[in-house]
Amino acid sequence: MVKKILLSLLAVVLVLIAAGYWAYSLIDRDAFKHDFKNTQRADLPYITENVPEHRGKILAVVTSHSELGNTGKAVGYELTELSRAYYVFEANGFSVDIASPQGGKPPQVLDGDDMNQYDYAFLNDAAANKKLEHTFKLSEVNPDDYQAVYFVGGKGTMFDFVDNPDITRLVEHFYNNNKAIAAVCHGPAALIGAKNAQGDYIVANKAITAFTNDEELLLIPNAPEVFGQLLQDTLTEQGAKFSEGAMYLDNVKVDGNLITGQNPWSVWTMAEATIKQLGYTPKAREITAEEHAVTIMNTYHQQGSEQALAVAKSLLEKQQPYMRNLVFIHSLMAFMQFDVIEGVSLLVFVQQLKNLT
């Protein structure tokens, strides 16, 4: 009996080792060879060439809050959520001012695994960094100076965007004057409590999205206690028609002058939707490898793996690369949620993507 048990355990261990080796073999290690850290603004034709004449100003608002409740963990605004929208706005003829509740230099969150050439160019952009060193204090901002306002995400917003009279003043001004209001990820926290001229919540009966409960709880299981609320729940309680897309994939909703994105992978689409809301056709842009991977994953969830593979094959035929490792990460997220079947299915899908190359 003991011998049988030991042999069974050994078999399980060998299977797990083989599975781990197989999973490891699916990682695209060539993707780690890219080094964007020295990218300069001048290296990116999208933001330097064929820029329209000045069309106006957009106000980007970032959090001033630097600590995740009482956890001691650092938070702030998400760089990728600012940098990508910032360059879309500039490339389409709008100058961007940056403000924060307290003014001055706001706390910044960098996620090196998700950063691309635009994010590093922003870090190396002297003009952009000067704005970040000296953000305008919200109480001193004149909303009449701007055609749109953009609320940048970051967990800190859950602490200093909610019930902030200066935030509410801005939102209500832009909403009641039918000017564009954009927000992404945790940025829609700015919409909480804001009311229209009739005294109703502006999100009531509006198609809205934001960082979802599932996305929040995957990383912070005690999020309701840490934040005091969940963003999706609060927006829904105030009457929003909340749109919950697939986890960590692009999902943008436009309803009137409200443009909201679900998470950091929604920034490009959200920013270009803002340009459309302002009455212009967004300037042509080379789609990034990350965005192509997001498109593949959205197709996978909406139409199945066969159609998703067809999308991937079409991209390769057009010599448009996609980030295969993002799909691999989604398989790991499925395992984190104890959805073994989905996790394995995604790993098989990654294998199929690898076979295309």
Side-chain angles (χ1 to χ4, degrees):
M1 180 65 69
V2 173
K3 185 176 180 180
K4 288 182 178 180
I5 292 174
L6 290 174
L7 288 173
S8 298
L9 288 174
L10 178 60
V12 169
V13 170
L14 291 175
V15 168
L16 290 174
I17 291 174
Y21 180 80
W22 170 60
Y24 179 74
S25 72
L26 300 179
I27 298 173
D28 180 7
R29 284 177 285 279
D30 288 338
F32 300 112
K33 296 179 181 179
H34 296 295
D35 186 3
F36 300 122
K37 292 183 179 179
N38 295 318
T39 306
Q40 302 294 317
R41 177 192 178 94
D43 298 328
L44 303 172
Y46 170 67
I47 57 178
T48 59
E49 299 177 2
N50 303 315
V51 177
E53 290 187 8
H54 189 246
R55 291 168 168 170
K57 296 169 66 177
I58 294 176
L59 181 69
V61 182
V62 299
T63 180
S64 295
H65 194 85
S66 61
E67 185 177 350
L68 184 62
N70 297 318
T71 65
K73 296 180 180 179
V75 294
Y77 75 91
E78 296 283 344
L79 174 79
T80 59
E81 295 177 25
L82 174 61
S83 56
R84 299 173 189 186
Y86 182 97
Y87 282 141
V88 168
F89 297 153
E90 282 207 334
N92 284 278
F94 291 89
S95 57
V96 182
D97 286 342
I98 305 175
S100 62
Q102 295 180 19
K105 185 177 181 179
Q108 182 183 81
V109 174
L110 299 178
D111 190 341
D113 292 335
D114 295 327
M115 289 174 61
N116 65 24
Q117 59 268 44
Y118 289 92
D119 308 312
Y120 283 109
F122 187 84
L123 285 178
N124 297 325
D125 188 330
N129 277 277
K130 184 176 180 180
K131 293 178 182 180
L132 280 172
E133 290 286 338
H134 307 283
T135 65
F136 295 112
K137 190 173 182 179
L138 273 182
S139 60
E140 301 170 356
V141 168
N142 182 358
D144 290 324
D145 293 339
Y146 302 95
Q147 280 65 56
V149 62
Y150 167 46
F151 294 100
V152 181
K155 294 179 177 63
T157 64
M158 295 293 289
F159 300 95
D160 66 354
F161 277 19
V162 181
D163 296 326
N164 184 318
D166 293 317
I167 292 282
T168 302
R169 173 179 65 92
L170 275 179
V171 172
E172 291 180 348
H173 169 88
F174 278 86
Y175 185 84
N176 292 320
N177 286 279
N178 199 34
K179 295 199 290 186
I181 301 171
V184 78
C185 201
H186 289 90
L191 307 179
I192 294 174
K195 296 182 178 181
N196 60 24
Q198 292 71 45
D200 301 316
Y201 290 124
I202 67 168
V203 299
N205 297 311
K206 295 288 187 179
I208 298 290
T209 190
F211 208 56
T212 67
N213 289 353
D214 286 344
E215 289 170 325
E216 197 79 85
L217 294 170
L218 179 66
L219 301 178
I220 308 176
N222 63 334
E225 292 75 32
V226 172
F227 295 123
Q229 61 191 313
L230 289 172
L231 187 51
Q232 177 180 345
D233 287 348
T234 304
L235 290 169
T236 302
E237 288 164 6
Q238 294 192 357
K241 297 178 180 177
F242 194 89
S243 169
E244 183 176 359
M247 288 179 63
Y248 301 108
L249 293 176
D250 182 21
N251 179 36
V252 170
K253 303 305 294 184
V254 179
D255 196 331
N257 60 334
L258 297 178
I259 306 107
T260 49
Q262 181 172 316
N263 51 48
W265 290 269
S266 308
V267 175
W268 293 109
T269 306
M270 180 274 320
E272 291 177 335
T274 303
I275 298 300
K276 291 179 183 177
Q277 180 66 26
L278 290 169
Y280 300 97
T281 300
K283 179 180 170 182
R285 175 177 61 82
E286 184 177 355
I287 304 303
T288 66
E290 178 186 69
E291 290 176 275
H292 284 316
V294 168
T295 297
I296 290 169
M297 281 302 302
N298 265 327
T299 305
Y300 174 91
H301 286 294
Q302 296 166 11
Q303 302 178 42
S305 61
E306 185 174 340
Q307 187 59 39
L309 279 173
V311 171
K313 184 177 180 180
S314 175
L315 288 170
L316 291 177
E317 289 172 349
K318 298 173 184 177
Q319 296 185 328
Q320 296 179 336
Y322 55 83
M323 191 182 294
R324 194 175 77 225
N325 287 345
L326 186 142
V327 184
F328 181 83
I329 290 170
H330 275 258
S331 72
L332 297 183
M333 288 195 302
F335 286 116
M336 289 172 65
Q337 295 177 289
F338 304 103
D339 190 344
V340 177
I341 293 176
E342 178 67 3
V344 172
S345 296
L346 278 167
L347 285 177
V348 171
F349 181 58
V350 178
Q351 179 69 70
Q352 292 172 318
L353 290 175
K354 182 180 178 181
N355 292 343
L356 291 177
T357 59

